[in-house]
Amino acid sequence: MAFNAHFKGYNTGNTFPLDQVVYRDSDGGLLEVEHDMVQLRTRSAKEWKTLFESRCGSHNWPYASGVWGKKEWVLPGIADEDIISLNEGWTNLFYAKRFGEHLGLDDLWVKLCGNSHTGSFKDLGMTVLVSQVNHMRRMGVPIKAVACASTGDTSAALAAYCAAAGIPSVVFLPGNKISVAQLIQPISNGSIVLSLDTDFDGCMKIVQEVTEDKGLYLANSMNSLRIEGQKTISVELCQQFGWEVPDVVIIPGGNLGNVSALGRGFDLMLELGLIDRKPRLVVAQAANANPLFRAYKTGYAQFAPMQAKKTEASAIQIGNPVSYDRAVRVLKKYSGMVYEVTEEQLANAAHLADRTGLYCDPHTGVAIGALLQMVEEKTVSRKDRIIVVSTAHGLKFSEFKTKYHKGELAGFAAKYANPISELPPSVDKVRAELEKRFKEIV
Ligand SMILES: *Cc1c(COP(=O)(O)O)cnc(C)c1O
């Protein structure tokens, strides 16, 4: 096949084949996957659109996957039989009509990336990384296992894709800082689960050292193969709107790989002429883990890693984001804005949205909390087409949602708590309670 790609160092221009076990450039910077643009330009924008549309919903495995339907833009060199796909992508673009009406917005949508095999967008990147590892192992590269540090969703995705491939996996988790659902996923999929008495940044440090042994392949998003899969979110969004570009895309950010990926998706569509304008990209951070927000306030002049404090949005409880430089490049190009959202704001925002039919995890709550601030400040207006990227399924965060409705989240009032009425089995008591509860509906 003519289409091809390789790793490239952003600062040095050094290149490495994708089949090499390498994560960082000689200057310590991260590597990007660079595609052969001359080859990609041999097809017109119209031809790409037609190709992508023809694969959507097809029975031609693995091309029905939202990621592999765009294989030439993602990992062009891999043979189909090496691909490990769990039919990721093509997630619901939820028209938040009632929630939009509540906020005075006519064109509000939520991209439900958590409606995926392991319940988060991490599947989009992991299918690419694990497929590449599978390919390398088949070529004889001595990779014994794949490892990652995780705030819960990366490890779930790694475990599932590795189990599907028959490749051993090792996950490093911060002790007691992830949800029960997230913890049980890699256990069930047969990963070696290591719970460390530290936070995510501490796990990240350890896994980077341990994976210096090249037999253990590193699956964190500093490995840009994952970014290649995640960038299909932007392409899929535009495709779902008939190749119209939204005005604003809001995404929760922790390690900042996903916002970097969104930018790369839009970059490629712009370069190949599938779209002709840029959306504004907005990153929402938890106020308790806000190093990007702090840097943004200085015009990105100063960046200081911090000790992240506890947040219900545990997947973004990260103080030293690996993809900071990548993210800043993207934000500068896409009229970027950064918001911080308190625990009170994220919890109330998630559950306000739930009242209109969504079922939000706390990270989506962070993104919606930023949207509420933008509405308040009038940074967005009624006619804007706004996309909130929902990064995980609410069902993975039952503890958060249960605590909210019981009023057990510390330090603030749960404005949208919906307590259970516990009653004796008496018709009169039931009638009286219903009368009372109906009156409370406004
Ligand atoms: C990983 C994750 C994020 C953060 O993505 P980054 O690429 O680390 O910025 C947000 N939400 C959820 C649910 C995640 O699992």
Side-chain angles (χ1 to χ4, degrees):
M1 190 187 290
F3 302 108
N4 62 80
H6 50 255
F7 287 123
K8 183 173 180 186
Y10 183 81
N11 298 318
T12 62
N14 292 336
T15 64
F16 308 88
L18 296 183
D19 292 339
Q20 189 175 331
V21 180
V22 55
Y23 318 110
R24 284 194 186 274
D25 198 359
S26 51
D27 70 344
L30 297 184
L31 301 169
E32 307 291 334
V33 173
E34 184 181 63
H35 291 267
D36 182 340
M37 295 305 293
V38 174
Q39 287 299 333
L40 290 177
R41 283 201 187 90
T42 59
R43 288 192 190 166
S44 68
K46 189 157 177 293
E47 285 172 308
W48 284 120
K49 290 178 184 176
T50 307
L51 179 69
F52 295 162
E53 279 156 20
S54 74
R55 287 170 175 171
C56 166
S58 85
H59 297 285
N60 185 11
W61 192 91
Y63 294 94
S65 149
V67 172
W68 298 106
K70 294 165 178 82
K71 182 182 170 189
E72 296 81 356
W73 288 23
V74 172
L75 197 60
I78 194 168
D80 288 355
E81 62 266 26
D82 287 348
I83 290 175
I84 308 298
S85 171
L86 303 176
N87 209 5
E88 48 291 312
W90 282 120
T91 50
N92 182 10
L93 189 53
F94 180 103
Y95 180 24
K97 189 163 183 297
R98 207 170 146 241
F99 190 41
E101 276 164 13
H102 178 81
L103 301 176
L105 301 172
D106 289 344
D107 210 356
L108 176 63
W109 303 76
V110 182
K111 178 69 172 157
L112 293 175
C113 295
N115 289 5
S116 186
H117 184 71
T118 71
S120 87
F121 76 84
K122 298 293 199 296
D123 291 351
L124 302 171
M126 211 51 88
T127 184
V128 178
L129 184 136
V130 174
S131 296
Q132 175 63 19
V133 171
N134 190 43
H135 164 73
M136 286 158 73
R137 277 166 56 106
R138 286 172 139 211
M139 285 182 10
V141 179
I143 297 171
K144 204 163 40 207
V146 189
C148 74
S150 177
T151 51
D153 288 328
T154 300
S155 40
L158 178 67
Y161 281 88
C162 281
I167 299 171
S169 62
V170 185
V171 306
F172 294 73
L173 300 172
N176 300 319
K177 290 190 181 66
I178 70 172
S179 76
V180 172
Q182 288 173 322
L183 176 62
I184 208 68
Q185 286 180 292
I187 292 176
S188 293
N189 285 137
S191 261
I192 299 171
V193 178
L194 307 176
S195 175
L196 305 190
D197 185 16
T198 177
D199 58 6
F200 170 79
D201 297 296
C203 288
M204 193 67 225
K205 237 186 245 153
I206 302 261
V207 82
Q208 287 193 50
E209 283 194 33
V210 175
T211 53
E212 275 168 21
D213 163 9
K214 294 225 178 353
L216 206 52
Y217 193 83
L218 178 65
N220 279 95
S221 61
M222 58 184 280
N223 186 326
S224 52
L225 289 167
R226 278 182 47 205
I227 307 282
E228 291 307 290
Q230 289 170 209
K231 82 181 180 204
T232 60
I233 295 176
S234 323
V235 188
E236 191 169 300
L237 267 179
C238 292
Q239 189 173 347
Q240 283 173 313
F241 282 121
W243 303 103
E244 279 177 22
V245 181
D247 297 300
V248 180
V249 183
I250 308 173
I251 187 168
N255 230 357
L256 306 178
N258 215 16
V259 64
S260 311
L262 277 187
R264 278 185 68 78
F266 285 113
D267 283 350
L268 207 46
M269 286 188 286
L270 285 164
E271 280 175 52
L272 294 172
L274 280 76
I275 58 172
D276 56 9
R277 69 183 192 96
K278 295 180 205 160
R280 180 197 288 281
L281 298 185
V282 178
V283 175
Q285 291 212 295
N288 283 350
N290 62 352
L292 177 69
F293 175 77
R294 292 180 188 201
Y296 171 70
K297 285 282 151 194
T298 69
Y300 305 117
Q302 284 167 31
F303 167 67
M306 62 183 281
Q307 178 82 42
K309 292 197 290 261
K310 182 179 174 353
T311 167
E312 289 297 324
S314 48
I316 56 176
Q317 189 175 323
I318 295 175
N320 189 12
V322 168
S323 292
Y324 172 79
D325 291 331
R326 282 176 177 157
V328 171
R329 286 199 290 271
V330 163
L331 288 169
K332 284 185 176 164
K333 186 162 173 189
Y334 288 90
S335 333
M337 298 179 77
V338 184
Y339 286 83
E340 64 170 350
V341 176
T342 64
E343 294 301 290
E344 176 169 9
Q345 287 170 334
L346 76 88
N348 282 325
H351 294 94
L352 171 63
D354 283 6
R355 291 291 181 101
T356 64
L358 284 152
Y359 190 70
C360 295
D361 70 290
H363 316 84
T364 305
V366 171
I368 293 173
L371 171 66
L372 298 183
Q373 293 180 38
M374 294 178 85
V375 169
E376 178 98 21
E377 298 169 1
K378 302 195 175 8
T379 317
V380 286
S381 54
R382 177 176 284 279
K383 295 288 167 215
D384 285 341
R385 175 167 287 169
I386 302 165
I387 317 291
V388 171
V389 178
S390 171
T391 45
H393 202 295
L395 287 172
K396 292 183 93 168
F397 296 89
S398 297
E399 297 98 323
F400 161 69
K401 303 190 76 74
T402 308
K403 276 191 282 180
Y404 182 85
H405 287 292
K406 286 185 171 171
E408 289 174 358
L409 289 178
F412 58 86
K415 266 166 92 177
Y416 309 102
N418 183 18
I420 305 172
S421 294
E422 286 175 22
L423 303 170
S426 143
V427 171
D428 287 347
K429 291 262 162 52
V430 167
R431 287 216 171 102
E433 178 69 8
L434 283 179
E435 201 168 318
K436 178 172 147 255
R437 298 287 307 254
F438 283 143
K439 277 195 199 123
E440 291 165 7
I441 299 173
V442 280

